[in-house]
C-alpha cells in the first residue's frame, strides 16, 4: 500500500463518488474508494485512514437493511465528512433522525444561507451573491433532528440542515454534493476539510514516480518483463516507467492488427526506438487479423475475434523472450474501483472490451500494474514527469479493436484505407482550429452504405462518412461536441475533396447515453 497519507471514501453507490476522489487527488491527497460492504474493523486497521468521507447513495436510511458503515468508523477519532446519504447515515447512526418526503425533496440547484456561527470547513464560503452559495441537491429524505453534539451552519429552503457539524469531533455532514460542477465553490469545502484533517498534500507525481520505480525494482528483481504496447497513453507510460526502473529487462510487443490509423505504427515504433531505446518487437499481423475478420459484420463477433487473436499473437511473441516472468499492463484506477451496485446482479454487457485478460494464467505470468492507483489525467501527469512528448501524452483514447469498430458492417481493406485518410483530414482540421485538447475523443467512421452524389459533371456512388467528437470526463458518459456550422462545412468539403471514395459526410450529435462513443 502507498506510503502517503490516506483518505478513505466509503461508497454507498452514488453516481458521482468518483468525482469526490478526483477533487481530492487534485488537492494532492491520496484517497481510495471502497464499497461499504468491504469496510470492516480489520480493513480500517490496515488502511489507517487519516480522514473518512461517506459518499451519497440511492438508498434511504429510513429503510430497514439499508447500507451502513461499521460503528467503529465513528470511534476512530479521525475527521469525517458525510455527503447526502452519507450525512443521513451519520445522523441516524449518531442519534439523530431522518425522514422521507413532506415536500422537502430537492433535486438540482439550490442556495444555502449561513447561520451565525463560523465553521473552519466553510472558510472562503458564502462570499457570493447575497452571501449565499449555490449548491447541487439531490435528495428525497432529509434530516429532521440533529444528532447530539451537532449544530446547523447552513440552511436551504428544502434542507433546514444543509450544513451540519460537530466541530469538537471534526464531524461534518452536508446534504448537497460539493463534488459536482453545479456546486461551483465545492472544491473549497474539500480543501478546508483535508486541511483541518492535517493532510500536507504529499501526493505528487514526482514522488509517486520514484516510489513506483522502487516498487517495480523490488517486485521484478532480475527477471524479464513483457509489455503489450498499443500506442495509447496508458501502455506507453507504463512501458517508459518500467524501462526507467529495470532498463533492458523490459521488452515491448506492439501488435499491429492492420486496424491502426494513418502512420500510427511508424509513429509508435519510432517514438519508442528513437527516444527510449526500449527493445521492441513490431508484430505485423495485419494479414492474420484481416483474414479472420473477412466477411464478419456482427460487432460482438468482431470484438471476440480480435481479442482472441491478440492473445494468440502476443503469446507467440512473448514465448520468444527468454525468462519472461512478468506481464505489464496499463490498468487504471477506474478499472479497479469496485463500485457499489444496487441492481443486485451483474451488469449487462454492452460491449466486450478487449484486453489481455486470460493471458497471465495461461502463460504463468505475474502482473506488473503500477498505474492501477491512478486516474487518466494522473497517468498523463506521470507521463510528463517521465518526459514523454506532450503531443503523445495528449492523444485521444484509441480503443484496442481499433478501426474495426469504426467500420460498422464488413471490414475490407478498401474501406480501411478510405477511413484512415478521412480520419487524418478530420483530426488535422480539429488541430488546425485549436480544438484538439478541448475534445475528449474525435474520430471518423465509415458507414456501411453508399450514396449518390455529383462531382463536376459526373455521378458518384461512394461511401458516407460519420464524424464523432465528444467531451467527457472518463468515457462513461459523454456529450457530443458543439462544432460551429462553419467548421463542419469546411471539414466536409475538405474530406470530400481530399479523400477519394467519400461523397457525403454526417456529424453524429448523439450523447452517451443513449449512444456509446464508438459506433460498435
Ligand atoms: P464506448 O464506445 O463503450 O467507449 O462508449 C468508451 C471508451 O472506451 C473506448 N473503448 C475501448 N477501449 N478496448 C479499449 O481499450 C475496447 O474494446 C474499447 N471499446 C471502447 C472508447 O474508444 C471510448 O474511449
Amino acid at each position: 500500500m502507498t506510503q502517503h497519507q490516506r483518505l478513505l471514501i466509503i461508497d454507498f453507490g452514488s453516481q458521482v463518488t468518483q468525482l469526490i476522489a478526483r477533487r481530492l487527488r487534485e488537492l494532492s491527497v491520496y484517497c481510495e474508494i471502497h464499497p461499504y460492504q468491504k469496510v470492516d474493523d480489520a480493513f480500517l486497521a490496515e488502511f489507517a485512514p487519516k480522514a473518512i468521507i461517506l459518499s451519497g447513495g440511492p438508498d434511504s436510511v429510513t429503510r430497514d437493511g439499508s447500507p451502513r458503515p461499521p460503528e467503529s468508523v465513528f470511534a476512530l477519532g479521525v475527521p469525517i465528512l458525510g455527503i447526502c446519504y452519507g450525512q443521513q447515515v451519520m445522523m441516524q447512526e449518531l442519534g439523530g433522525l431522518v425522514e422521507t418526503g413532506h415536500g422537502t425533496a430537492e433535486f438540482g440547484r439550490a442556495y444555502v444561507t449561513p447561520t451565525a456561527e463560523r465553521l473552519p470547513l466553510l472558510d472562503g464560503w458564502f462570499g457570493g451573491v447575497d452571501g449565499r452559495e449555490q449548491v447541487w441537491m439531490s435528495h428525497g429524505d432529509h434530516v429532521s433532528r440533529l444528532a447530539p453534539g451537532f449544530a446547523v451552519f447552513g440552511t436551504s429552503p428544502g434542507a433546514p440542515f444543509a450544513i451540519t457539524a460537530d466541530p469538537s469531533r471534526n464531524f461534518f455532514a452536508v446534504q448537497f454534493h460539493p463534488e459536482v460542477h453545479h456546486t461551483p465553490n465545492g472544491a473549497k469545502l474539500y480543501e478546508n476539510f483535508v486541511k483541518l484533517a492535517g493532510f500536507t498534500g504529499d501526493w505528487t507525481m514526482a514522488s509517486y514516480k520514484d516510489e513506483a520505480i522502487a516498487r517495480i525494482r523490488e517486485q521484478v528483481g532480475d527477471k524479464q518483463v513483457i509489455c503489450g504496447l498499443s500506442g495509447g497513453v496508458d501502455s506507453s507510460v507504463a512501458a517508459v516507467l518500467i524501462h526507467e526502473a529495470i532498463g533492458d529487462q523490459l521488452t515491448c510487443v506492439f501488435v499491429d492488427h492492420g486496424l491502426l490509423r494513418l502512420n500510427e505504427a511508424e509513429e509508435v515504433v519510432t517514438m519508442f526506438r528513437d527516444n527510449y531505446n526500449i527493445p521492441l518487437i513490431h508484430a505485423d499481423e495485419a494479414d492474420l487479423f484481416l483474414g479472420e475478420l473477412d466477411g464478419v459484420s456482427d460487432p460482438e463477433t468482431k470484438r471476440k475475434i480480435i481479442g482472441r487473436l491478440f492473445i494468440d499473437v502476443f503469446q507467440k511473441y512473448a514465448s520468444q523472450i527468454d525468462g519472461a516472468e512478468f506481464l505489464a499492463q496499463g490498468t487504471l484506477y477506474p478499472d479497479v474501483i469496485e463500485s457499489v451496485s444496487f441492481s443486485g446482479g451483474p451488469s449487462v454487457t454492452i460491449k466486450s472490451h478487449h484486453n489481455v485478460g486470460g493471458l497471465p494464467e495461461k502463460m504463468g505470468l505475474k502482473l506488473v500494474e503500477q498505474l492501477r492507483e491512478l486516474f487518466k489525467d494522473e497517468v498523463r501527469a506521470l507521463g510528463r514527469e517521465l518526459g514523454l512528448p506532450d503531443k503523445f501524452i495528449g492523444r485521444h483514447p484509441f480503443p484496442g479493436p481499433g478501426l474495426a469498430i469504426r467500420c460498422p458492417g464488413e471490414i475490407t481493406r478498401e474501406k480501411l484505407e478510405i477511413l484512415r485518410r478521412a480520419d487524418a483530414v478530420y483530426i488535422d482540421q480539429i488541430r488546425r482550429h485549436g480544438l484538439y485538447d478541448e475534445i475528449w475523443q474525435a474520430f471518423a467512421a465509415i458507414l456501411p452504405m453508399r450514396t449518390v452524389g455529383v462531382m463536376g459533371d459526373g455521378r458518384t456512388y461512394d461511401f458516407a462518412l460519420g464524424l464523432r467528437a465528444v467531451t467527457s470526463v472518463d468515457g462513461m458518459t459523454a456529450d457530443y461536441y458543439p462544432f460551429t456550422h462553419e467548421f463542419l462545412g469546411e471539414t466536409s468539403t475538405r474530406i470530400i475533396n481530399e479523400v477519394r471514395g467519400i461523397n457525403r459526410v454526417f456529424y453524429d450529435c448523439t450523447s452517451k447515453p443513449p449512444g456509446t462513443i464508438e459506433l460498435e
Side-chain angles (χ1 to χ4, degrees):
M1 199 184 290
T2 175
Q3 303 307 308
H4 298 271
Q5 299 173 322
R6 288 183 290 279
L7 188 147
L8 172 64
I9 300 168
I10 303 183
D11 184 24
F12 293 105
S14 157
Q15 299 291 322
V16 290
T17 303
Q18 275 207 28
L19 289 180
I20 305 176
R22 296 295 322 117
R23 295 287 92 83
L24 293 164
R25 295 278 184 104
E26 282 158 17
L27 294 166
S28 304
V29 168
Y30 184 79
C31 61
E32 288 185 16
I33 300 172
H34 290 275
Y36 73 95
Q37 303 98 319
K38 289 276 173 70
V39 178
D40 57 18
D41 293 355
F43 175 91
L44 289 169
E46 194 194 337
F47 192 88
K50 204 170 163 52
I52 292 175
I53 291 180
L54 307 176
S55 88
D59 213 321
S60 168
V61 298
T62 60
R63 190 182 68 77
D64 276 350
S66 54
R68 295 279 188 277
E71 273 171 32
S72 54
V73 156
F74 301 107
L76 290 174
V78 301
I80 300 180
L81 172 63
I83 293 166
C84 197
Y85 184 89
Q87 176 193 47
Q88 295 161 5
V89 101
M90 259 171 106
M91 286 305 132
Q92 190 96 336
E93 293 298 281
L94 295 170
L97 188 66
V98 175
E99 288 180 303
T100 302
H102 305 306
T104 52
E106 277 178 308
F107 295 96
R109 190 170 291 132
Y111 292 89
V112 178
T113 312
T115 57
E117 290 88 341
R118 181 185 164 269
L119 186 69
L121 182 77
L122 304 175
D123 280 355
W125 253 48
F126 297 127
V129 186
D130 309 334
R132 298 182 307 165
E133 274 294 333
Q134 182 186 319
V135 300
W136 189 69
M137 295 276 191
S138 177
H139 64 102
D141 294 351
H142 65 281
V143 174
S144 56
R145 192 184 70 227
L146 289 176
F150 277 79
V152 180
F153 294 87
T155 62
S156 78
F161 299 133
I163 303 172
T164 62
D166 175 350
S168 69
R169 288 187 284 178
N170 272 338
F171 285 177
F172 307 94
V174 298
Q175 180 59 78
F176 53 90
H177 288 270
E179 61 277 16
V180 304
H181 181 68
H182 298 96
T183 302
N185 209 2
K188 190 77 193 152
L189 283 198
Y190 289 110
E191 190 185 325
N192 292 339
F193 179 66
V194 298
K195 202 157 102 193
L196 57 89
F199 283 89
T200 51
D202 64 352
W203 172 250
T204 63
M205 270 309 134
S207 67
Y208 180 77
K209 183 187 101 178
D210 295 341
E211 285 163 32
I213 287 174
R215 277 188 291 190
I216 293 167
R217 285 187 184 140
E218 192 186 315
Q219 184 189 8
V220 172
D222 59 1
K223 303 293 187 291
Q224 295 288 318
V225 180
I226 48 177
C227 176
L229 207 61
S230 66
V233 179
D234 307 339
S235 61
S236 303
V237 170
V240 174
L241 176 72
I242 296 169
H243 184 68
E244 284 242 344
I246 57 167
D248 284 355
Q249 287 163 255
L250 169 73
T251 305
C252 290
V253 182
F254 175 58
V255 179
D256 180 348
H257 46 22
L259 299 159
L260 298 169
R261 291 168 292 189
L262 193 67
N263 301 329
E264 184 144 36
E266 295 83 322
E267 277 173 23
V268 171
V269 171
T270 312
M271 151 103 165
F272 274 85
R273 290 218 173 113
D274 293 0
N275 291 328
Y276 293 100
N277 201 16
I278 299 178
L280 175 68
I281 298 173
H282 179 183
D284 181 356
E285 296 286 349
D287 289 345
L288 174 71
F289 280 81
L290 298 183
E292 292 237 5
L293 287 168
D294 192 29
V296 178
S297 55
D298 174 64
E300 275 300 285
T301 314
K302 282 183 188 173
R303 282 176 172 272
K304 296 225 160 84
I305 291 173
I306 295 168
R308 171 174 56 79
L309 290 178
F310 187 85
I311 291 181
D312 290 352
V313 167
F314 194 75
Q315 190 171 13
K316 177 173 102 185
Y317 289 92
S319 61
Q320 297 167 7
I321 299 160
D322 271 351
E325 283 194 18
F326 292 90
L327 173 72
Q329 291 203 140
T331 312
L332 303 192
Y333 191 46
D335 305 328
V336 300
I337 296 177
E338 259 185 275
S339 296
V340 174
S341 159
F342 282 87
S343 62
S347 53
V348 183
T349 302
I350 307 287
K351 299 175 182 186
S352 309
H353 274 221
H354 128 114
N355 56 33
V356 287
L359 192 67
E361 300 88 72
K362 210 162 161 184
M363 293 183 64
L365 294 170
K366 287 169 263 181
L367 286 175
V368 180
E369 291 185 313
Q370 280 304 325
L371 309 184
R372 58 184 286 125
E373 291 168 350
L374 307 184
F375 285 97
K376 186 106 189 165
D377 54 337
E378 292 175 317
V379 171
R380 290 194 162 121
L382 178 60
R384 276 185 208 104
E385 201 62 51
L386 288 160
L388 270 102
D390 261 346
K391 187 168 175 236
F392 204 82
I393 289 174
R395 281 164 50 133
H396 292 173
F398 186 63
L403 299 182
I405 56 178
R406 298 176 179 178
C407 186
E410 287 185 26
I411 299 168
T412 65
R413 285 179 192 264
E414 181 207 4
K415 281 189 192 172
L416 289 174
E417 202 40 47
I418 295 172
L419 174 56
R420 271 189 198 104
R421 286 185 290 121
D423 184 74
V425 175
Y426 177 41
I427 299 299
D428 180 59
Q429 272 289 100
I430 289 176
R431 285 199 189 277
R432 280 193 199 183
H433 285 256
L435 301 174
Y436 191 83
D437 293 336
E438 248 177 69
I439 292 171
W440 199 74
Q441 192 171 8
F443 58 86
I446 187 161
L447 303 179
M449 63 179 187
R450 290 180 192 258
T451 69
V452 173
V454 53
M455 281 177 92
D457 290 328
R459 176 189 193 264
T460 57
Y461 187 54
D462 286 334
F463 284 108
L465 190 79
L467 302 180
R468 187 98 169 107
V470 295
T471 54
S472 176
V473 176
D474 52 13
M476 303 298 289
T477 59
D479 289 321
Y480 74 87
Y481 187 79
F483 286 124
T484 61
H485 286 290
E486 290 71 26
F487 176 89
L488 289 171
E490 186 185 306
T491 306
S492 165
T493 305
R494 263 195 74 190
I495 291 173
I496 292 170
N497 285 343
E498 293 176 32
V499 183
R500 287 263 305 267
I502 300 287
N503 68 353
R504 199 174 288 266
V505 173
F506 293 100
Y507 184 56
D508 182 348
C509 49
T510 321
S511 291
K512 173 183 179 177
T516 56
I517 295 177
E518 302 289 343
L519 268 68
E520 290 191 334

